[in-house]
mmCIF file of all heavy atoms in Angstrom:
data_model
loop_
_atom_site.group_PDB
_atom_site.id
_atom_site.type_symbol
_atom_site.label_atom_id
_atom_site.label_comp_id
_atom_site.label_asym_id
_atom_site.label_seq_id
_atom_site.Cartn_x
_atom_site.Cartn_y
_atom_site.Cartn_z
ATOM 1 N N PRO A 152 131.487 97.827 117.315
ATOM 2 C CA PRO A 152 131.816 99.261 117.423
ATOM 3 C C PRO A 152 130.683 100.195 116.988
ATOM 4 O O PRO A 152 130.499 101.253 117.579
ATOM 5 C CB PRO A 152 133.038 99.414 116.514
ATOM 6 C CG PRO A 152 133.637 98.054 116.444
ATOM 7 C CD PRO A 152 132.502 97.080 116.548
ATOM 8 N N TYR A 153 129.914 99.815 115.962
ATOM 9 C CA TYR A 153 128.822 100.700 115.532
ATOM 10 C C TYR A 153 127.808 100.870 116.662
ATOM 11 O O TYR A 153 127.457 101.993 117.035
ATOM 12 C CB TYR A 153 128.124 100.147 114.273
ATOM 13 C CG TYR A 153 126.826 100.858 113.974
ATOM 14 C CD1 TYR A 153 126.813 102.187 113.551
ATOM 15 C CD2 TYR A 153 125.581 100.216 114.154
ATOM 16 C CE1 TYR A 153 125.629 102.859 113.313
ATOM 17 C CE2 TYR A 153 124.384 100.882 113.919
ATOM 18 C CZ TYR A 153 124.415 102.198 113.494
ATOM 19 O OH TYR A 153 123.230 102.866 113.264
ATOM 20 N N SER A 154 127.361 99.745 117.219
ATOM 21 C CA SER A 154 126.347 99.808 118.280
ATOM 22 C C SER A 154 126.893 100.582 119.469
ATOM 23 O O SER A 154 126.193 101.431 120.052
ATOM 24 C CB SER A 154 125.948 98.393 118.725
ATOM 25 O OG SER A 154 125.536 97.637 117.617
ATOM 26 N N ALA A 155 128.147 100.306 119.833
ATOM 27 C CA ALA A 155 128.759 101.004 120.973
ATOM 28 C C ALA A 155 128.850 102.503 120.691
ATOM 29 O O ALA A 155 128.590 103.330 121.577
ATOM 30 C CB ALA A 155 130.140 100.430 121.255
ATOM 31 N N SER A 156 129.207 102.878 119.454
ATOM 32 C CA SER A 156 129.338 104.311 119.133
ATOM 33 C C SER A 156 127.990 105.007 119.251
ATOM 34 O O SER A 156 127.898 106.149 119.701
ATOM 35 C CB SER A 156 129.918 104.503 117.720
ATOM 36 O OG SER A 156 128.938 104.227 116.741
ATOM 37 N N LYS A 157 126.917 104.310 118.869
ATOM 38 C CA LYS A 157 125.587 104.933 118.936
ATOM 39 C C LYS A 157 125.088 104.999 120.380
ATOM 40 O O LYS A 157 124.386 105.936 120.759
ATOM 41 C CB LYS A 157 124.603 104.173 118.041
ATOM 42 C CG LYS A 157 124.817 104.442 116.550
ATOM 43 C CD LYS A 157 124.299 105.812 116.176
ATOM 44 C CE LYS A 157 124.399 106.122 114.708
ATOM 45 N NZ LYS A 157 123.679 107.322 114.310
ATOM 46 N N ALA A 158 125.475 103.995 121.193
ATOM 47 C CA ALA A 158 125.143 104.067 122.625
ATOM 48 C C ALA A 158 125.879 105.269 123.241
ATOM 49 O O ALA A 158 125.317 106.008 124.054
ATOM 50 C CB ALA A 158 125.528 102.769 123.324
ATOM 51 N N CYS A 159 127.150 105.469 122.818
ATOM 52 C CA CYS A 159 127.898 106.658 123.282
ATOM 53 C C CYS A 159 127.173 107.937 122.875
ATOM 54 O O CYS A 159 127.110 108.895 123.653
ATOM 55 C CB CYS A 159 129.305 106.700 122.692
ATOM 56 S SG CYS A 159 130.387 105.410 123.246
ATOM 57 N N CYS A 160 126.648 107.957 121.658
ATOM 58 C CA CYS A 160 125.905 109.149 121.194
ATOM 59 C C CYS A 160 124.763 109.452 122.154
ATOM 60 O O CYS A 160 124.523 110.615 122.490
ATOM 61 C CB CYS A 160 125.247 108.893 119.835
ATOM 62 S SG CYS A 160 126.341 108.975 118.476
ATOM 63 N N GLU A 161 124.045 108.398 122.564
ATOM 64 C CA GLU A 161 122.918 108.607 123.483
ATOM 65 C C GLU A 161 123.399 109.264 124.774
ATOM 66 O O GLU A 161 122.727 110.143 125.321
ATOM 67 C CB GLU A 161 122.222 107.273 123.795
ATOM 68 C CG GLU A 161 121.359 106.746 122.659
ATOM 69 C CD GLU A 161 120.041 107.512 122.505
ATOM 70 O OE1 GLU A 161 119.694 108.313 123.376
ATOM 71 O OE2 GLU A 161 119.360 107.302 121.476
ATOM 72 N N ILE A 162 124.574 108.835 125.252
ATOM 73 C CA ILE A 162 125.103 109.414 126.502
ATOM 74 C C ILE A 162 125.497 110.879 126.269
ATOM 75 O O ILE A 162 125.219 111.749 127.097
ATOM 76 C CB ILE A 162 126.280 108.559 127.028
ATOM 77 C CG1 ILE A 162 125.749 107.172 127.434
ATOM 78 C CG2 ILE A 162 126.970 109.235 128.221
ATOM 79 C CD1 ILE A 162 126.809 106.162 127.807
ATOM 80 N N VAL A 163 126.113 111.142 125.121
ATOM 81 C CA VAL A 163 126.496 112.523 124.789
ATOM 82 C C VAL A 163 125.232 113.408 124.713
ATOM 83 O O VAL A 163 125.189 114.502 125.282
ATOM 84 C CB VAL A 163 127.272 112.561 123.442
ATOM 85 C CG1 VAL A 163 127.426 113.981 122.931
ATOM 86 C CG2 VAL A 163 128.629 111.892 123.590
ATOM 87 N N ILE A 164 124.212 112.905 124.044
ATOM 88 C CA ILE A 164 122.968 113.688 123.868
ATOM 89 C C ILE A 164 122.339 113.971 125.236
ATOM 90 O O ILE A 164 121.974 115.109 125.560
ATOM 91 C CB ILE A 164 121.966 112.920 122.964
ATOM 92 C CG1 ILE A 164 122.532 112.776 121.545
ATOM 93 C CG2 ILE A 164 120.598 113.600 122.946
ATOM 94 C CD1 ILE A 164 121.871 111.677 120.716
ATOM 95 N N SER A 165 122.275 112.924 126.047
ATOM 96 C CA SER A 165 121.661 113.074 127.370
ATOM 97 C C SER A 165 122.480 114.054 128.229
ATOM 98 O O SER A 165 121.923 114.888 128.956
ATOM 99 C CB SER A 165 121.573 111.690 127.994
ATOM 100 O OG SER A 165 121.312 111.761 129.328
ATOM 101 N N SER A 166 123.802 113.969 128.129
ATOM 102 C CA SER A 166 124.665 114.862 128.910
ATOM 103 C C SER A 166 124.481 116.327 128.477
ATOM 104 O O SER A 166 124.360 117.224 129.317
ATOM 105 C CB SER A 166 126.119 114.427 128.740
ATOM 106 O OG SER A 166 126.970 115.461 129.108
ATOM 107 N N TYR A 167 124.443 116.572 127.156
ATOM 108 C CA TYR A 167 124.232 117.948 126.676
ATOM 109 C C TYR A 167 122.862 118.455 127.128
ATOM 110 O O TYR A 167 122.711 119.619 127.503
ATOM 111 C CB TYR A 167 124.347 118.029 125.143
ATOM 112 C CG TYR A 167 125.737 118.437 124.707
ATOM 113 C CD1 TYR A 167 126.747 117.491 124.564
ATOM 114 C CD2 TYR A 167 126.062 119.772 124.470
ATOM 115 C CE1 TYR A 167 128.032 117.860 124.189
ATOM 116 C CE2 TYR A 167 127.343 120.147 124.091
ATOM 117 C CZ TYR A 167 128.315 119.192 123.953
ATOM 118 O OH TYR A 167 129.587 119.554 123.595
ATOM 119 N N ARG A 168 121.865 117.556 127.062
ATOM 120 C CA ARG A 168 120.512 117.976 127.471
ATOM 121 C C ARG A 168 120.506 118.333 128.960
ATOM 122 O O ARG A 168 119.975 119.358 129.357
ATOM 123 C CB ARG A 168 119.512 116.862 127.158
ATOM 124 C CG ARG A 168 118.064 117.248 127.406
ATOM 125 C CD ARG A 168 117.098 116.254 126.801
ATOM 126 N NE ARG A 168 117.490 114.891 127.094
ATOM 127 C CZ ARG A 168 117.521 113.903 126.219
ATOM 128 N NH1 ARG A 168 117.176 114.103 124.972
ATOM 129 N NH2 ARG A 168 117.893 112.693 126.572
#
Side-chain angles (χ1 to χ4, degrees):
Y153 168 69
S154 305
S156 75
K157 286 285 183 169
C159 293
C160 282
E161 285 285 349
I162 294 173
V163 168
I164 295 161
S165 166
S166 162
Y167 265 85
R168 186 167 46 226

